[in-house]
Amino acid sequence: MSSPGPEPGPEVLVEEAGKRARQIAPLIAALPTGVKNDALHDIADSLLNEADRILEANECDVQAAERKRLPEAIIDRLILTYPRLGAIAQGVHEVASAPDPVGEVLRGSRRPNGLILQEVRMPLGVVGIVTEGRPNTTVDAVSLCLKAGNAVVFLGSADDAQSNQVILQVIGRAMARQGVPDGAVQRIRSTDPRALERMMHLRESIDLLIPRGSQELIRRVCSTATVPTLETGPGNCHIFVERTAKLDMAADIAFNAKVQRPGMANAVETLLIDAPIAKQFLPDLGLRMQAAGVELRGCEQTQEILSRVRPATEEDWCVPYQALILAVRVVDGLDEAMAHIARYGTQHSEAIVTQDYFAGKRFCQQVDAAAVYVNASTRFTDGFEFGLGAELGISTQKLHRRGPIGLRALTTWKWIVYGEGQVRG
């Protein structure tokens, strides 16, 4: 009896997964809406029915992360709980209930020569998903891609490997029960860096690559890949408290944006205070932040007003902390605030608190970000909060899609032309 051959290398695993996804993609694109919706509802129900298995696997990932002493924000994103799993399942139900984007006629016309033209929304084909310690993204990615008619090539990380294995098993069985062709989701069973390297250049199989993870992962994929990418950028978010702001409102907004869930990309990282109100506004807010465990790092004026504030360095204005750390700077008016945001922001989410209509309008017009707020917390930048259902992150780039990456971001367009024998002269 011959001995089994060597295990295929990571590059081969990626190439094989891409080929299978490319072959299955036309069948996924042609799935009726009813089949997709039934599969999504089954996925959502199965996640709850199999919650104990999923959470047991997730606990193994979390314990491994704690042994490696990963940052608290990373561990928080890794953790699944019954309430979080319930929210994820509800999101899948909402994707099923959303209108099917596939086949939507965006516009149509009849040309003088009698040709009838339609611009129609279509699936992208094969979407590559690269995640890093985000098992909730696994479910969001599959549900959104399925509803948008796409096959998936999925590459996870060592940090969430056990969670993803069980989650994708549950999802695969649910899709099979509802008639989704086998192979709609191709999981690459490797965490070797060579797998990602090959995936980033698999143009013959993958139509779009979406990285979800650390700033380093996103930067590497978006700067290196030859496959088209959709950048889910980090959030170095700001709140500017303008001199006419209602101070109680401003304090509540700033506190929520920093403390409610500091590890998220839409949490505020720098608070900008208009100079005329700094001495009135900062003392109470500073005490409130510090009582919640927030470490403050401030400019010289901030340090003169508040005690127990570390001097802010140039790096403090640049870094998305994703932790209970807040940089604070006193600025001289709207123009200086917007200049600071233009220099240090990551075009994710920016906010102004003001009672001046014209200041708010200028801020919205001139601040370059995927989401701009007037008198509200930056923590609302989210597909669910925007009424779009599940999302794959927030795109900070300008082409193809900006803001929450929902169903329509996972589609493209084609022109369909109906004629009656016309030829071009």
Side-chain angles (χ1 to χ4, degrees), residues 129-378:
I129 304 293
V130 180
T131 70
E132 201 175 49
R134 286 169 164 81
N136 63 304
T137 298
T138 305
V139 181
D140 293 340
V142 172
S143 60
L144 287 167
C145 285
L146 175 61
K147 185 63 177 271
N150 298 302
V152 176
V153 176
F154 179 87
L155 177 63
S157 69
D159 292 339
D160 54 6
Q162 297 196 55
S163 302
N164 284 332
Q165 180 177 349
V166 176
I167 288 171
L168 289 173
Q169 287 174 353
V170 171
I171 288 174
R173 287 197 291 266
M175 291 196 298
R177 284 193 295 267
Q178 301 304 326
V180 176
D182 183 43
V185 180
Q186 298 289 330
R187 177 180 174 233
I188 299 169
R189 292 171 172 80
S190 175
T191 58
D192 190 302
R194 291 175 292 172
L196 175 57
E197 185 65 30
R198 184 68 187 99
M199 192 172 176
M200 291 193 293
H201 301 286
L202 203 65
R203 290 178 62 90
E204 64 271 24
S205 298
I206 297 176
D207 296 291
L208 181 69
L209 189 59
I210 304 177
R212 289 287 285 123
S214 66
Q215 188 172 354
E216 292 74 20
L217 172 71
I218 294 167
R219 183 183 295 114
R220 179 188 174 195
V221 170
C222 292
S223 63
T224 306
T226 54
V227 174
T229 59
L230 194 52
E231 182 175 1
T232 56
N236 189 18
C237 305
H238 301 76
I239 293 176
F240 171 49
V241 183
E242 192 265 345
R243 65 191 65 190
T244 66
K246 293 182 178 179
L247 300 189
D248 288 345
M249 175 197 293
D252 289 342
I253 289 172
F255 187 82
N256 173 264
K258 179 72 271 182
V259 175
Q260 193 256 347
R261 202 167 173 196
M264 307 289 26
N266 55 18
V268 68
E269 306 290 15
T270 298
L271 184 64
L272 303 173
I273 314 295
D274 212 346
I277 60 170
K279 291 182 179 180
Q280 181 182 0
F281 178 68
L282 275 175
D284 289 343
L285 178 68
L287 290 174
R288 184 177 177 184
M289 288 285 187
Q290 290 169 335
V294 178
E295 177 187 320
L296 301 179
R297 302 180 183 181
C299 66
E300 290 183 5
Q301 289 174 271
T302 301
Q303 295 172 68
E304 291 173 0
I305 298 171
L306 294 177
S307 60
R308 295 188 295 129
V309 176
R310 284 181 52 180
T313 66
E314 180 68 13
E315 185 180 9
D316 286 315
W317 309 126
C318 304
V319 176
Y321 300 115
Q322 297 188 325
L324 287 174
I325 303 171
L326 180 66
V328 183
R329 181 181 178 187
V330 178
V331 295
D332 187 14
L334 178 60
D335 287 329
E336 189 172 333
M338 292 194 296
H340 180 103
I341 292 170
R343 179 174 179 180
Y344 299 107
T346 54
Q347 300 182 336
H348 192 292
S349 302
E350 309 292 356
I352 183 173
V353 185
T354 182
Q355 292 301 300
D356 184 332
Y357 169 82
F358 294 102
K361 185 175 181 179
R362 276 193 65 206
F363 190 87
C364 291
Q365 289 175 334
Q366 296 181 30
V367 169
D368 187 9
V372 181
Y373 293 82
V374 178
N375 296 332
S377 169
T378 57

